[in-house]
Amino acid sequence: MKGFEHPHIVTPPPGEKTKAWIERMKKVEAPNITYRDNEFPVFIKSAFMNNVWDVDGNRYVDLTSFFGVALLGHRHPEIQKAIQSASIYHGMGDVHPTPHKVELLEKINKLIGGNYMGIFAQSGSEAVETCLKTQLLYTKKPGIIVFEGAYHGLGLGALNLTSRKFFKEGLEVYLSIPVYELPFPGDNNKSYHVLELAENLLKKQKIGLIFLEPIQGRGGVRIFPDFFLREIRFLAGKYNALLGFDEIFTGVFRTGFFSYAQSKGVAFDLITFGKGLSSQFPLSVCMGKKHIMEKAWPESNGEAKHTYTFLGHPLFSLVALKVIETVEKQQIDTKIQTKGKEYLKTLLQLKMHPSVLDVRGRGFMIGIEFKHNVFPLVKKLLQHGYITLPAGKEGRVLEIIPPSCIEDDLFFRFLEVLHGIIE
Ligand SMILES: Cc1ncc(COP(=O)(O)O)c(C=O)c1O
């Protein structure tokens, strides 16, 4: 069935048409944006559910959901219907709003337990930056604790919190937020040490926010221990700092739950969602406890203190409502939980292989950590018709982030191919 087919490579990627597009791109796009070499990338023409077609007629299976975004699959029929039913595309979200924005905020608020208010944005970076503004306006304490390996986006505000130096080189003078980066807590002994470091900072510095991805996405699917999340929650409360979770990646059912932190029973003051929220359209949100939002953002006297041209986009809000409705109606969250466990269990067998260091994940967010950089493997997989991504500081983690419509047949065939290559 279209959208659920195995790869079909008619011309080894990158084919001639892709190569021609790469040459055209080289003339007009700044060089350090789209990576290219003799084997990478391919130019994409269309996508439907699990499948992606390039301009040379090759059919791929997408195991990335295109950065974890196409939660339901590409161009899901329900989303197409929602788009066709829209009576307005763009609006004036902060002046003359549309009902969809309110309905979506109501829905998200309900899903995360109630008593939250939100501010929409478009990208993940912007939602993170809205958290930063909120926290400073509320706590008046500028300091922020983050963790090694964090990726919170590359906008000039969010970049302060992102770990990798590479992204910051040459821009340091613009990055002046007092950010304190702590090591990533691993086993229990290390966790205690990191908690001690956090407590020292909370005592000595003006820390307003502790901010983290409960599972680091671009950091290589690194999972914060449950116990650490509970302890850091306790410390934040003890020192009147806010605890914020960046669930741009983990949120909106990627792990089988609307919020991963909530599924662990850890309360948060601020939280961000993006990526899968409107499954393929740029929509993100910063949600904060009602009392925090009311104090940080007092009633406007006519001019909004914070906005974006596209804030509360009616079409994207409508799509997001449809995404959530589809997940709920078709119990896709349960499928992700169950299938995610099954896939992880099978993938764990790869640990027997001498080049594999670890396999870990939750739901449909799985990382296979190798001893070496996986970019050559990603390119090999592309030759076989599978789209995957490298992650982690040294690019040693192969990320498997399939759309929720993935079927066993497609997944297990991919595993066979992966096995064959790494053997
Ligand atoms: C956890 C997290 N936060 C923030 C971002 C930044 O999102 P965007 O690229 O939409 O600005 C990302 C992107 O990968 C992310 O994974």
Side-chain angles (χ1 to χ4, degrees), residues 67 69 122-128 150-155 158 162 211-213 215-219 246-250 272 274-275 284 365:
F67 296 126
V69 171
Q122 297 70 236
S123 68
S125 284
E126 290 158 341
V128 167
Y151 186 89
H152 297 295
L154 303 184
T162 288
F211 199 60
L212 60 102
E213 305 150 81
I215 303 175
Q216 290 185 346
R218 286 198 65 178
D246 181 353
E247 295 225 35
I248 300 283
F249 209 139
T250 47
T272 57
K275 291 196 186 275
S284 60
M365 184 171 183

Side-chain angles (χ1 to χ4, degrees), residues 38 47 75 96 101 115 124 155 198 213 232 234 300 304 335 337 379:
N38 289 337
R75 290 197 298 122
H96 300 298
K101 148 174 135 166
N115 214 22
E213 305 150 81
I232 204 79
F234 172 77
S300 145
K335 173 187 170 182
Q337 288 167 36
K379 289 176 179 176

Side-chain angles (χ1 to χ4, degrees), residues 364-377:
F364 277 5
M365 184 171 183
I366 300 176
I368 307 168
E369 183 170 348
F370 286 81
K371 283 188 182 148
H372 50 79
N373 180 289
V374 296
F375 199 28
L377 176 60

Side-chain angles (χ1 to χ4, degrees), residues 85-126:
S85 76
S87 52
I88 177 169
Y89 288 168
H90 176 53
M92 297 174 79
D94 61 326
V95 179
H96 300 298
T98 56
H100 297 320
K101 148 174 135 166
V102 180
E103 284 169 347
L104 181 58
L105 283 174
E106 285 170 351
K107 186 76 202 174
I108 297 172
N109 179 39
K110 198 165 163 213
L111 282 165
I112 57 174
N115 214 22
Y116 286 86
M117 294 178 122
I119 302 174
F120 281 120
Q122 297 70 236
S123 68
S125 284
E126 290 158 341

Side-chain angles (χ1 to χ4, degrees), residues 9 20 33 60-61 116 119 128 130 153 159 169 174 221 262 270 308 325 351 364 371 388 398 400:
I9 298 298
I33 306 299
Y60 302 86
V61 167
Y116 286 86
I119 302 174
V128 167
T130 311
L159 185 56
E169 274 160 18
Y174 279 1
V221 191
Q262 187 185 23
L270 296 169
Y308 295 106
E325 186 193 304
K351 272 176 105 169
F364 277 5
K371 283 188 182 148
T388 55
L398 184 72
I400 313 291

Side-chain angles (χ1 to χ4, degrees), residues 13 42-43 49 58 77 130 132-133 144 153-154 164 177 230-231 299 316 320 324 365 392 395 398-399 402 412:
V42 291
F43 257 80
M49 301 305 274
N58 294 316
T130 311
L132 299 186
K133 281 189 178 182
I144 297 170
L154 303 184
R164 267 180 66 190
I177 298 179
R230 288 193 297 273
E231 291 298 314
E299 285 293 338
F316 301 167
I324 297 170
M365 184 171 183
L398 184 72
E399 263 187 351
F412 289 114

